[in-house]
Amino acid sequence: MSASFSYCDVSLPVPLDQPFTYLLPETLRHRVRTGCRLLVPFGTRKLTGIVLRMHETPPESPAREALGLLDEEPALDGELLKLGLWISTYYCAPLGETLRAMTPLAGDVRRGKIYSLTSPGRDAARQLHLSNGGLDLGSDVSSAAGNKEVHGDPSVQILRLLDARPLSGSYLAQKVGRAAALLRSLEKKGFVESEDTAAGRDPSRASAARLRVEFLKRAPEQIKAGKLPKPQRELLSYLELHPGSHNLAALELSVPKASTAARALARQELVRLTSEPVGCGTASIRPPHTLNAHQEDAFNKVHAALEAKRFHTFLLEGVTGSGKTEIYLKAIESVLALGRGALMLVPEIGLTPAVAGQFHHRFGDRVAILHSAFQDAERAQEWKRIRAGDASVVVATRSGVFAPVRNLGLIVVDEEHDQSYKQQETPRYHGRDVAVVRARDAGAVVVLGSATPSLESRYNAESGKYTRLSLPERIEQRPMPRVELIDMRQEFLETRKSATFSRALIEAVQERLENGEQTMLLLNRRGFSSFVACRACGERLECAHCSVTLTYHRRDRRMLCHYCNYSERVPERCPKCDSEYIQFLGLGSERVEDELHGAFPKARIARLDRDTVTGKHDYETILAGFRNGDFDILVGTQMIAKGHDIPNVTLVGIVSADVGLGLPDFRAAERTFQLLTQAAGRAGRGGTPGIVLLQTINPDHYAVRCAAAQDYEAFYRKEIEFRRMMQYPPFAALANVIVRGLREEDALQRSAALGRLLRPAPEGVSILGPAAASLSRLKNEYRYQMILKASSRKRLTDVLTELRRFAAAEKWNPTMLSIDVDPVTLL
Ligand code: ADP
Ligand code: ZN
Ligand code: ZN
């Protein structure tokens, strides 16, 4: 029996701190509960908010009436609401925006269509992106095609939105005017395909990435000989030669136009199309292992804590290949046996179909997968299964920390040092830290795992806040890879050539090719040349909107800004001195691949970086190809460094260990150490021992030296001293305060006003700045920065609250002040 109230306070996703009071219509009075989502009028808009409280107190000005209730069950239970409040205070973020980030995106699972790009559509989007217009989409689709001003062209907008990920029709309708008609037209032209969200639909309507195709019967010879169009014939012969079912999107790499051909063939009943189960891939399923002594020891401690049903945090420090995953899986089994639920967080890039498959295999239907790349409807569906208690094991990326797992008993955070756990927009929370707070309130156990723990977590383990567990050896006593440092300055002195690859690296790759073993090559910078400069006057070409140099991408023959995606053609002459000596400097992964082809013309080479991974399945497709031995060499950015377990890789080459080392950021050394160690850890995970060749011009830098020695301990000792001396985390609570403005004057003056407000500095707080941020201009906005270091968390929160109050009182536009608490980068 629920009580009836006339009013409720609703927290809305707007950058204002207070809740708003609404009148509840008669029909809703008995149904609304705290934590439910409510649709309300706000200005001229309709917004979805979260009900915080119901009451009988009429507000001072007459309240508007709520429009509708989205949940019968609260979307956020008491525990999660409390967590939201904590996040809002700790990270200085408005509550409404915080709560919105905690609930699934889709308002509800309505029937509707999900749109995605076809491969011609993707090409079109790319081309548009690069050419800033000029693509002929057909006059009735794009009235502004060929016109300079393409940003405003709605069909171009749609292509661009869909290039990022598949989207629902209702979402597109919100963003773009006349979306429905434009989508129909784009679909007719073959740029876009749609899929019904309602279950049980004809599978051949699903997007290629979600379909498997299988050979059904031999086509009569006459059809094969002539009647069928070429793509269909090609697909048939491919399927005949490669029995079994294939993912359609993956097939498109080998068979041109496979997707269209498969659909046509399915109608003729020559092939069968089935939908790919959500999140489940072509993983090689491994049986559970018997734990070795170190694993056993670590697991027993976790198990005891689970049985005690009390909050406890473990830091599982295990070298690469030491078998951390098996401990996670066993711990999850234990917690399920105790009748509680489990949540496992993985980095953005760590949630591959292979990982999902492993969990499905072990826990079957009890697993739900939440990935930011999933469509809203898909996520909402998984979310409902979790809330209903049908799924008690959740594997998720960052925002999955808010999954409504019933009776939560365990949270695992894999690769806890990974930066993708920090959200880079409001609320700027850290998934790992939120996990610990959530577990504390739920009386759950936390396991943070990493081969290279963050300084913060390791420090917490030292100080007794966390319990440290260690796996010091690789599984089956496989040796750690041998790392050789190659001093590229010495190499230059000896060869008198500034080459991308040292002689030793070339030789080692050659050896692998001869032995049929595989090589991974890391260069953590995409593009061809990292900057373009004038040889006469030294001018470096910068983005028109940001204070950063443009990167040359040869495939597109354009220079691209990696911060805002602005692009332009390479000028024939220097815009400053008019000389024609434009040169391309600095190495990127695209050029590494190019030079590799030159050095090893016969090698099969693939590249994994943000330029080659654009769709949601590209990443897994390329990796799976490499794992299957379709390629000899995989070149890539940090994407190749994470968690992959590919036994045939016996050589890891780090083309330059120096990328990122010189950044003006107190975490530069930590990040470099982590990246190099993780990358090195990819070598020799199978039976054959591996070697790592690490090219650098900073062979004496401690991050490089410790990574070469695979010595986390030594790195930690050195780095923690630096942090202590400089009063950086974990020895201070840190915040990065940025004041932004389209006019430099505004940003400058306002940051100065904040500076004055904090003078003299409050006790226990030290302030750097205000000064121009190291990224002084970004997306047309000028940026001024203050870095606050406080001796206690409370002091920091107090000062930040004061700054926010000041900005609100001065009626600053809320986007002008951005506060990043516990920043992972100060750029
Ligand atoms: P980590 O995450 O620590 O780098 P993984 O969990 O990927 O390591 O384990 C490395 C490899 O060892 C995997 O192939 C895994 O299946 C295997 N493995 C894990 N535990 C055992 C065990 N007790 N016995 C044999 N193999 C194991
Ligand atoms: Zn010049
Ligand atoms: Zn830019």
Side-chain angles (χ1 to χ4, degrees):
M1 176 66 222
S2 57
S4 157
F5 294 98
S6 318
Y7 297 99
C8 67
D9 293 347
V10 180
S11 180
L12 293 174
V14 292
L16 294 166
D17 276 321
Q18 84 277 20
F20 298 84
T21 303
Y22 286 88
L23 181 66
L24 287 168
E26 206 51 61
T27 48
L28 293 185
R29 285 190 187 177
H30 289 279
R31 290 163 52 210
V32 170
R33 286 152 63 191
T34 307
C36 284
R37 287 172 301 174
L38 195 67
L39 189 68
V40 296
F42 187 79
T44 55
R45 294 181 289 166
K46 291 177 190 169
L47 292 179
T48 303
I50 299 278
V51 177
L52 295 180
R53 194 168 76 90
M54 281 98 61
H55 56 88
E56 287 296 341
T57 328
E60 280 161 26
S61 48
R64 297 174 75 180
E65 202 173 73
L67 303 170
L69 181 66
L70 279 91
D71 308 290
E72 297 296 330
E73 292 275 316
L76 296 174
D77 63 14
E79 226 170 74
L80 287 170
L81 270 179
K82 187 172 163 215
L83 188 63
L85 280 166
W86 179 84
I87 291 173
S88 157
T89 314
Y90 185 96
Y91 292 102
C92 293
L95 183 62
E97 289 184 301
T98 304
L99 297 181
R100 182 187 46 187
M102 294 175 70
T103 43
L105 279 173
D108 50 356
V109 194
R110 255 181 261 112
R111 278 173 73 104
K113 282 187 168 181
I114 299 286
Y115 291 87
S116 51
L117 293 183
T118 58
S119 57
R122 191 164 317 147
D123 290 346
R126 289 295 134 67
Q127 214 170 320
L128 277 169
H129 184 75
L130 293 161
S131 65
N132 281 333
L135 186 85
D136 187 11
L137 293 171
S139 50
D140 56 325
V141 175
S142 163
S143 48
N147 188 323
K148 277 255 147 48
E149 182 44 50
V150 292
H151 292 278
D153 181 336
S155 46
V156 170
Q157 254 174 296
I158 290 179
L159 289 183
R160 288 202 172 138
L161 286 167
L162 289 177
D163 194 28
R165 62 192 178 98
L167 293 166
S168 68
S170 53
Y171 176 84
L172 287 166
Q174 278 171 25
K175 292 271 163 186
V176 183
R178 294 204 310 123
L182 293 168
L183 280 166
R184 268 198 303 280
S185 174
L186 284 169
E187 201 173 354
K188 244 182 24 222
K189 298 207 154 52
F191 288 118
V192 160
E193 58 190 1
S194 68
E195 180 183 342
D196 229 295
T197 53
R201 283 279 154 156
D202 176 3
S204 68
R205 304 278 304 150
S207 72
R210 300 271 311 276
L211 283 177
R212 301 193 71 77
V213 57
E214 193 172 356
F215 189 61
L216 209 54
K217 66 173 181 222
R218 187 173 296 276
E221 284 310 314
Q222 70 272 26
I223 297 190
K224 264 166 76 187
K227 286 242 184 87
L228 287 181
K230 186 153 172 267
Q232 294 181 27
R233 262 182 291 144
E234 280 179 0
L235 179 61
L236 277 182
S237 28
Y238 185 93
L239 291 175
E240 271 181 286
L241 288 171
H242 300 81
S245 83
H246 303 261
N247 177 285
L248 198 47
L251 255 186
E252 277 181 345
L253 294 181
S254 339
V255 185
K257 306 205 175 125
S259 173
T260 344
R263 289 167 215 267
L265 289 170
R267 282 193 291 275
Q268 303 166 58
E269 296 187 350
L270 293 169
V271 302
R272 189 200 343 256
L273 288 176
T274 47
S275 359
E276 185 104 35
V278 171
C280 201
T282 47
S284 53
I285 302 298
R286 300 164 179 147
H289 295 289
T290 320
L291 300 182
N292 66 26
H294 288 298
Q295 286 173 313
E296 186 77 40
D297 197 39
F299 170 71
N300 285 342
K301 293 193 173 117
V302 175
H303 184 76
L306 288 170
E307 290 211 304
K309 299 195 176 183
R310 269 201 308 272
F311 168 58
H312 197 109
T313 305
F314 292 98
L315 175 63
L316 177 60
E317 199 181 310
V319 297
T320 52
S322 58
K324 294 184 283 292
T325 313
E326 197 56 43
I327 296 180
Y328 305 151
L329 292 167
K330 286 249 159 61
I332 294 171
E333 275 169 4
S334 299
V335 83
L336 293 179
L338 291 164
R340 303 180 84 185
L343 173 59
M344 167 139 153
L345 296 181
V346 295
E348 202 61 57
I349 210 148
L351 187 42
T352 59
V355 170
Q358 210 174 346
F359 273 80
H360 275 291
H361 181 70
R362 201 79 160 239
F363 304 108
D365 286 349
R366 286 178 294 176
V367 176
I369 311 280
L370 292 173
H371 194 297
S372 48
F374 281 4
Q375 298 151 358
D376 293 355
E378 231 167 85
R379 292 211 301 174
Q381 213 170 343
E382 291 289 78
W383 193 84
K384 282 189 169 172
R385 286 181 54 224
I386 300 165
R387 189 176 59 176
D390 295 340
S392 45
V393 180
V394 177
V395 185
T397 50
R398 182 182 61 232
S399 65
V401 74
F402 305 122
V405 182
R406 291 248 182 122
N407 194 5
L408 185 64
L410 170 69
I411 308 184
V412 175
V413 183
D414 189 25
E415 309 287 356
E416 66 87 30
H417 65 278
D418 196 281
Q419 291 220 33
S420 73
Y421 285 124
K422 183 77 156 81
Q423 169 131 315
Q424 297 295 358
E425 58 193 60
T426 310
R428 295 170 178 265
Y429 66 91
H430 199 300
R432 173 197 61 214
D433 298 339
V434 171
V436 173
V437 172
R438 183 171 177 191
R440 186 192 62 197
D441 290 347
V445 170
V446 185
V447 178
L448 309 175
S450 176
T452 53
S454 63
L455 273 270
E456 283 85 346
S457 292
R458 175 54 191 267
Y459 184 75
N460 281 333
E462 299 273 281
S463 67
K465 210 168 148 192
Y466 300 167
T467 302
R468 181 164 169 253
L469 305 171
S470 120
L471 301 177
E473 285 169 10
R474 282 190 158 182
I475 286 298
E476 291 167 348
Q477 274 130 33
R478 281 176 200 148
M480 295 300 287
R482 187 162 53 83
V483 184
E484 275 171 34
L485 275 180
I486 299 174
D487 184 345
M488 292 304 273
R489 299 169 308 182
Q490 191 62 30
E491 181 81 8
F492 177 76
L493 287 179
E494 287 168 19
T495 61
R496 291 280 148 201
K497 275 197 306 229
S498 80
T500 301
F501 310 119
S502 59
R503 292 160 299 173
L505 184 56
I506 291 277
E507 204 174 298
V509 173
Q510 185 62 45
E511 235 170 73
R512 297 301 168 303
L513 290 173
E514 282 160 13
N515 298 341
E517 292 166 11
Q518 289 174 298
T519 300
M520 278 182 160
L521 285 184
L522 172 86
L523 181 71
N524 196 21
R525 189 159 54 198
R526 67 195 171 100
F528 195 81
S529 307
S530 52
F531 51 96
V532 183
C534 165
R535 214 168 345 151
C537 75
E539 172 86 347
R540 290 182 175 198
L541 301 181
E542 285 202 350
C543 173
H545 311 292
C546 311
S547 57
V548 295
T549 54
L550 293 166
T551 304
Y552 177 58
H553 289 246
R554 200 176 67 171
R555 191 186 62 176
D556 316 315
R557 296 209 200 78
R558 312 221 15 134
M559 302 180 301
L560 189 71
C561 172
H562 285 182
Y563 288 86
C564 74
N565 277 340
Y566 167 83
S567 81
E568 63 177 63
R569 272 181 223 291
V570 181
E572 310 236 310
R573 293 174 166 277
C574 170
K576 196 170 163 205
C577 76
D578 207 38
S579 104
E580 49 195 290
Y581 299 108
I582 301 288
Q583 58 181 348
F584 299 90
L585 300 165
L587 191 62
S589 52
E590 188 186 4
R591 174 137 161 234
V592 170
E593 185 194 351
D594 191 71
E595 291 198 10
L596 269 179
H597 280 297
F600 305 103
K602 292 212 182 102
R604 297 163 306 158
I605 302 168
R607 175 157 57 95
L608 197 65
D609 58 28
R610 270 211 284 140
D611 295 324
T612 61
V613 176
T614 47
K616 100 180 191 196
H617 292 269
D618 296 345
Y619 176 74
E620 185 57 22
T621 308
I622 295 171
L623 262 183
F626 187 58
R627 193 177 292 122
N628 292 340
D630 300 344
F631 308 109
D632 306 306
I633 306 174
L634 182 66
V635 180
T637 54
Q638 37 98 17
M639 277 189 182
I640 68 169
K642 305 221 167 142
H644 318 303
D645 194 13
I646 300 174
N648 198 32
V649 173
T650 57
L651 171 64
V652 168
I654 290 158
V655 178
S656 165
D658 312 308
V659 177
L661 207 49
L663 288 177
D665 193 325
F666 76 101
R667 288 189 203 271
E670 181 182 8
R671 260 201 302 271
T672 300
F673 172 79
Q674 286 164 344
L675 176 66
L676 298 182
T677 309
Q678 297 280 350
R682 296 313 113 213
R685 293 171 68 98
T688 327
I691 69 158
V692 180
L693 298 180
L694 202 161
Q695 305 189 147
T696 179
I697 55 168
N698 292 298
D700 298 323
H701 194 289
Y702 65 98
V704 175
R705 257 191 304 115
C706 294
Q710 309 252 309
D711 190 346
Y712 175 80
E713 206 56 40
F715 176 76
Y716 174 75
R717 296 281 154 232
K718 182 104 189 165
E719 184 68 8
I720 202 79
E721 271 325 302
F722 161 75
R723 299 282 177 92
R724 192 194 307 275
M725 210 166 65
M726 303 297 292
Q727 286 295 299
Y728 274 120
F731 299 100
L734 190 72
N736 187 11
V737 175
I738 297 216
V739 178
R740 305 185 294 199
L742 283 172
R743 292 182 33 212
E744 184 161 21
E745 273 299 295
D746 289 348
L748 178 64
Q749 278 172 9
R750 288 176 194 217
S751 67
L754 291 188
R756 279 194 301 277
L757 191 69
L758 299 186
R759 213 165 296 135
E763 203 198 319
V765 179
S766 71
I767 297 161
L768 306 175
S774 27
L775 210 66
S776 61
R777 193 160 164 251
L778 183 65
K779 300 181 185 170
N780 282 329
E781 287 182 321
Y782 291 88
R783 305 164 85 241
Y784 280 77
Q785 178 179 43
M786 271 198 294
I787 295 167
L788 271 50
K789 295 178 189 172
S791 58
S792 80
R793 186 58 58 177
K794 171 150 191 340
R795 290 206 159 107
L796 184 70
T797 311
D798 288 349
V799 173
L800 294 172
T801 309
E802 192 184 337
L803 294 183
R804 291 179 73 213
R805 278 214 197 97
F806 176 80
E810 298 281 310
K811 302 227 168 0
W812 291 12
N813 181 331
T815 59
M816 293 201 77
L817 178 62
S818 113
I819 295 178
D820 191 355
V821 174
D822 299 347
V824 292
T825 162
L826 291 180
L827 291 183

